[in-house]
Amino acid sequence: MASAAEQLASNLNFSAFAKAEDLKKRIWFTLGALLVYRLGTYIPLPGLNPEAFAQAFEQQSGGILGLFNMFAGGAVERMAIFALGIMPYISASIIMQLMTSVVPALEQLKKDGEQGRKVINQYTRYGTVLLGTMQAYGISVGLESGNGIVSDPGWFFRISTVVTLVGGTMFLMWLGEQITARGIGNGISLIIFSGIVAALPGAVAGTLELGRTGALSTGLIIMVIVIAIAVIAFIVFVERAQRRLLIQYPKRQVGNRMFQGDASHLPLKLNTAGVIPPIFASSLLLLPATLAGFSNSTDLPAWATTILATLGHGQPLYMVFYASMIAFFAFFYTAVVFNPKDTADNLKNHGGFIPGIRPGERTAEYIDYVLTRVTVVGAMYLVFVCLLPEVLIAQTGIPYYLGGTSLLIVVSVTLDTVAQIQGHLIAQQYEGLIKKSKLRGGKRGR
């Protein structure tokens, strides 16, 4: 079966793509949905002074606002209706995943199949509305505190801002679900991906402009380009890397015939946590500096000013905490999304076993043993990929969009989308082979 799939994959070409009408419809739908999203990032909130807000954003762009602006596709710097982006939904999804590991009732819902997943998804939507409302209200209050940003501050502005921003987030959540169901790829990931990719040309142009003005040397720009290409190649290599555990199934007898036991593999990704660790680590580390930036720096005590200076973007202590938090969240999130005990129980129920390991608890312990060591390598990979661009950003001042987190998201989503396109083409070729075999069988019968 695997050799047939590999043979089909090797035969994929443009002619096969031209015949895939359903796949082309899915791609066009995805592109149209992403175009709607990009247009929404340019529709500003009512009641704002664009020039005053642009000055205020410029002062805070190095904090968490710069990170959120990257994920929102530039909607934050324009304070558009999609300024919250899809982050409240992602945060609610992560919180629900954590809750399913802690709350027994939610854990049981997770095991109840499709119906349980629908209930959990509904709870996730409620959480999205709650988180989005709190964030939108905080944004409205923060905008009113700025000098001349809001033309008519008051409760009407706050309520309209909350309704608009939360409505934008819920629309993006719905749009992402539609892309997943009717398009190609994961809708939520593609929305974040499109926002980052849309800003990459501007980031490259900004870097070249720094070289033209003499702020960056030509050699340094070439070095940055080479490092970016090398990091992308490294990300592709590691994201496709797996640790495969051999799974065997016993012989079985059907009637008078004895069938040989099958063998398969349990793939353990080197980076099971994905891009969640750097996103969480960046958000938590940049939050204190951003909050301090909104307040008057003269009101802060001396010890707070010292801590903020040592935790500044690119400082050695910032790098140490950043690396530590990435490693922590890599292990933490892997433990949330992958349960060795459930995997071992599923193998036991289906008659599968790892050679030399007793089914049940011993299998769970062995899978956890291997997964822990694989996660160590994955955490080291994430730290390296995220810290190397951070050092370049801190030392050279290149745009934030060329950082490790953005490259990681772009490459991961691209690999996933290409794999889904190939899957659709392979499925279509299988269907074509089945139809041909049926036609030949019908002709022989005649």
Side-chain angles (χ1 to χ4, degrees):
M1 185 75 175
S3 60
E6 291 174 359
Q7 183 178 2
L8 281 174
S10 63
N11 294 331
L12 295 178
N13 49 36
F14 287 105
S15 63
F17 178 79
K19 297 176 182 178
E21 295 297 331
D22 180 67
L23 178 59
K24 287 192 288 186
K25 290 179 181 178
R26 286 178 172 270
I27 292 177
W28 280 114
F29 179 84
T30 302
L31 293 176
L34 294 179
L35 178 61
V36 171
Y37 160 65
R38 290 303 304 157
L39 290 175
T41 61
Y42 286 89
I43 302 176
L45 284 174
L48 294 183
N49 184 344
E51 296 180 358
F53 177 77
Q55 294 177 359
F57 179 83
E58 185 68 24
Q59 298 174 359
Q60 300 296 326
S61 59
I64 197 171
L65 290 182
L67 180 69
F68 285 166
N69 186 56
M70 180 184 71
F71 293 141
V76 176
E77 65 178 329
R78 293 182 287 270
M79 195 44 66
I81 59 175
F82 291 160
L84 281 183
I86 203 67
M87 293 304 293
Y89 177 72
I90 294 176
S91 301
S93 300
I94 294 172
I95 291 173
M96 285 304 302
Q97 288 180 345
L98 297 177
M99 295 293 287
T100 52
S101 302
V102 177
V103 181
L106 293 176
E107 186 177 5
Q108 184 60 40
L109 279 176
K110 186 179 179 181
K111 297 178 180 179
D112 285 345
E114 185 65 25
Q115 189 62 32
R117 284 195 293 270
K118 288 182 179 179
V119 176
I120 292 177
N121 289 338
Q122 196 64 26
Y123 288 159
T124 303
R125 293 185 177 94
Y126 295 150
T128 302
V129 174
L130 180 62
L131 291 176
T133 301
M134 291 190 297
Q135 293 178 10
Y137 182 77
I139 289 175
S140 66
V141 174
L143 291 174
E144 286 184 342
S145 63
N147 294 326
I149 296 179
V150 180
S151 58
D152 187 18
W155 278 106
F156 180 78
F157 172 78
R158 297 180 186 180
I159 294 175
S160 63
T161 300
V162 169
V163 172
T164 303
L165 293 180
V166 174
T169 295
M170 299 307 293
F171 175 79
L172 289 182
M173 182 187 70
W174 175 83
L175 192 66
E177 292 175 349
Q178 294 301 310
I179 293 174
T180 303
R182 303 171 58 185
I184 193 76
N186 183 282
I188 303 300
S189 300
L190 283 172
I191 287 176
I192 300 176
F193 167 86
S194 63
I196 296 175
V197 169
L200 281 179
V204 173
T207 304
L208 296 178
E209 179 65 19
L210 291 176
R212 189 186 67 83
T213 58
L216 295 178
S217 64
T218 304
L220 183 59
I221 294 177
I222 295 175
M223 183 187 71
V224 168
I225 295 174
V226 171
I227 290 177
I229 295 174
V231 169
I232 291 173
F234 182 61
I235 292 173
V236 172
F237 175 77
V238 176
E239 290 296 325
R240 296 176 66 91
Q242 295 177 345
R243 170 68 164 91
R244 296 185 176 183
L245 299 180
L246 179 63
I247 305 296
Q248 289 187 343
Y249 294 90
K251 298 179 181 179
R252 56 191 178 92
Q253 184 173 357
V254 179
N256 296 327
R257 299 184 62 182
M258 179 68 70
F259 290 89
Q260 188 68 26
D262 296 329
S264 62
H265 291 89
L266 174 65
L268 300 177
K269 286 191 64 177
L270 202 62
N271 179 28
T272 307
V275 299
I276 296 300
I279 291 175
F280 268 38
S282 300
S283 302
L284 292 178
L285 276 177
L286 293 175
L287 185 59
T290 303
L291 294 178
F294 280 120
S295 62
N296 192 347
S297 59
T298 58
D299 297 335
L300 295 175
W303 61 268
T305 305
T306 304
I307 292 177
L308 288 174
T310 55
L311 286 177
H313 201 271
Q315 297 298 320
L317 189 60
Y318 170 88
M319 297 294 185
V320 171
F321 275 103
Y322 188 41
S324 302
M325 295 179 74
I326 288 176
F328 169 76
F329 282 118
F331 280 93
F332 182 78
Y333 195 70
T334 299
V336 170
V337 299
F338 190 95
N339 191 331
K341 187 177 184 304
D342 290 344
T343 304
D345 291 341
N346 291 333
L347 289 175
K348 185 177 180 180
N349 294 335
H350 290 84
F353 63 92
I354 299 176
I357 307 296
R358 183 177 300 174
E361 185 177 351
R362 293 290 299 170
T363 299
E365 292 176 356
Y366 178 75
I367 294 175
D368 183 66
Y369 172 84
V370 175
L371 182 64
T372 301
R373 278 144 186 79
V374 168
T375 307
V376 169
V377 180
M380 293 172 60
Y381 146 75
L382 286 176
V383 169
F384 172 76
V385 167
C386 294
L387 279 192
L388 180 62
E390 286 290 337
V391 173
L392 291 176
I393 291 173
Q395 298 298 324
T396 63
I398 61 176
Y400 198 85
Y401 291 91
L402 298 178
T405 305
S406 57
L407 292 179
L408 190 63
I409 293 174
V410 169
V411 175
S412 301
V413 175
T414 301
L415 290 175
D416 178 65
T417 305
V418 170
Q420 290 201 29
I421 292 176
Q422 289 182 343
H424 278 280
L425 292 177
I426 291 174
Q428 183 198 5
Q429 290 199 358
Y430 267 125
E431 291 175 0
L433 291 176
I434 292 173
K435 289 180 180 178
K436 288 181 180 179
S437 63
K438 287 182 178 180
L439 290 174
R440 290 173 183 172
K443 292 179 180 179
R444 290 175 183 174
R446 295 174 185 174

